[in-house]
Amino acid sequence: RKEVEQDPGPFNVPEGATVAFNCTYSNSASQSFFWYRQDCRKEPKLLMSVYSSGNEDGRFTAQLNRASQYISLLIRDSKLSDSATYLCVVNPPYSSASKIIFGSGTRLSIRP
Amino acid sequence: DAMVIQNPRYQVTQFGKPVTLSCSQTLNHNVMYWYQQKSSQAPKLLFHYYDKDFNNEADTPDNFQSRRPNTSFCFLDIRSPGLGDTAMYLCATSLPGLGEKLFFGSGTQLSVL
């Protein structure tokens, strides 16, 4: 089993739709979780951190389910500019050799 | 502004010709990472430094080496690039501890011809 697995893309949805991605992780002791957005040929950029209580930033909502070991990202009222690859990132328990683990990414394409 | 800077943005090299990619940071972060990202794939960690403590991933080829002469700078040396090393190379930094977020440079797109 991969350490971090994401929904296989691509997702192709109309503008204005609501879309959700999931990401599962294998290490139950993982400490922190993030969603990054990556545009074509650009570096990943932090979209939002994911907290146990869930968090919302405008049209974006992130949830963490520790019991089932997954995180989710919900995008409401999707815009054309939301088209990108969304990367799930998981931090293992802190150690001097901490290693941040990326999921393989989910491609999202918003059509007019 | 504090940031992570990678140079050059684009690099073309010939098969077998050594190449060095550079990364600098003004964030004073303890941890620096080098990732390799090929088209349509997730970033793959090559190695990282915690201060001067070097951590190599088990599957990173010996062809890839790194140097961190001080907190601010980190270099990726590819001793004999192969065609399969064509990729985006991303440098990132973070502070250690819970909730550590990655701060990426803009990447160097390396093409091996």
Side-chain angles (χ1 to χ4, degrees):
Chain A
R1 182 183 174 185
K2 287 185 181 178
E3 291 177 281
V4 176
E5 290 194 81
Q6 290 190 239
D7 278 353
F11 285 69
N12 188 321
V13 302
E15 194 174 7
T18 295
V19 60
F21 313 134
N22 283 333
C23 170
T24 58
Y25 59 96
S26 60
N27 187 344
S28 60
S30 296
Q31 292 285 2
S32 53
F33 309 86
F34 306 93
W35 285 103
Y36 282 76
R37 171 200 168 119
Q38 186 173 28
D39 294 295
C40 188
R41 299 188 181 277
K42 297 287 181 74
E43 75 276 20
K45 293 185 177 177
L46 180 65
L47 180 64
M48 55 199 308
S49 304
V50 188
Y51 304 115
S52 297
S53 55
N55 48 304
E56 188 174 310
D57 182 4
R59 298 181 293 109
F60 298 84
T61 299
Q63 294 276 355
L64 166 63
N65 185 316
R66 283 196 180 273
S68 300
Q69 294 181 210
Y70 75 85
I71 65 171
S72 63
L73 177 67
L74 179 79
I75 306 174
R76 289 182 298 279
D77 188 24
S78 52
K79 310 292 184 190
L80 296 176
S81 57
D82 294 334
S83 297
T85 296
Y86 291 83
L87 298 164
C88 163
V89 176
V90 176
N91 282 9
Y94 171 71
S95 71
S96 63
S98 63
K99 186 177 76 171
I100 298 171
I101 304 167
F102 281 82
S104 55
T106 299
R107 274 194 295 137
L108 172 65
S109 178
I110 308 297
R111 63 179 188 270
Chain B
D1 290 340
M3 56 178 62
V4 182
I5 302 167
Q6 287 188 248
N7 285 303
R9 182 72 179 89
Y10 299 94
Q11 176 76 56
V12 180
T13 191
Q14 291 179 330
F15 180 93
K17 185 175 180 181
V19 66
T20 294
L21 310 182
S22 71
C23 177
S24 64
Q25 55 134 337
T26 59
L27 298 162
N28 206 34
H29 283 173
N30 300 85
V31 192
M32 293 188 78
Y33 306 80
W34 279 106
Y35 286 89
Q36 178 194 64
Q37 188 177 26
K38 296 186 177 180
S39 183
S40 302
Q41 296 183 21
K44 179 181 179 299
L45 183 63
L46 296 173
F47 22 60
H48 73 279
Y49 281 91
Y50 186 112
D51 293 325
K52 291 189 175 183
D53 183 21
F54 177 69
N55 298 274
N56 198 32
E57 293 301 297
D59 57 355
T60 297
D62 292 339
N63 200 25
F64 290 82
Q65 303 286 318
S66 185
R67 297 169 281 136
R68 189 179 185 186
N70 53 52
T71 300
S72 302
F73 286 89
C74 196
F75 300 96
L76 170 61
D77 301 307
I78 309 177
R79 292 190 297 189
S80 182
L83 300 179
D85 296 329
T86 290
M88 171 81 87
Y89 290 86
L90 294 160
C91 174
T93 71
S94 71
L95 283 169
L98 291 179
E100 53 188 281
K101 303 169 188 175
L102 286 172
F103 293 79
F104 282 94
S106 56
T108 294
Q109 178 62 51
L110 176 68
S111 297
V112 182
L113 305 179

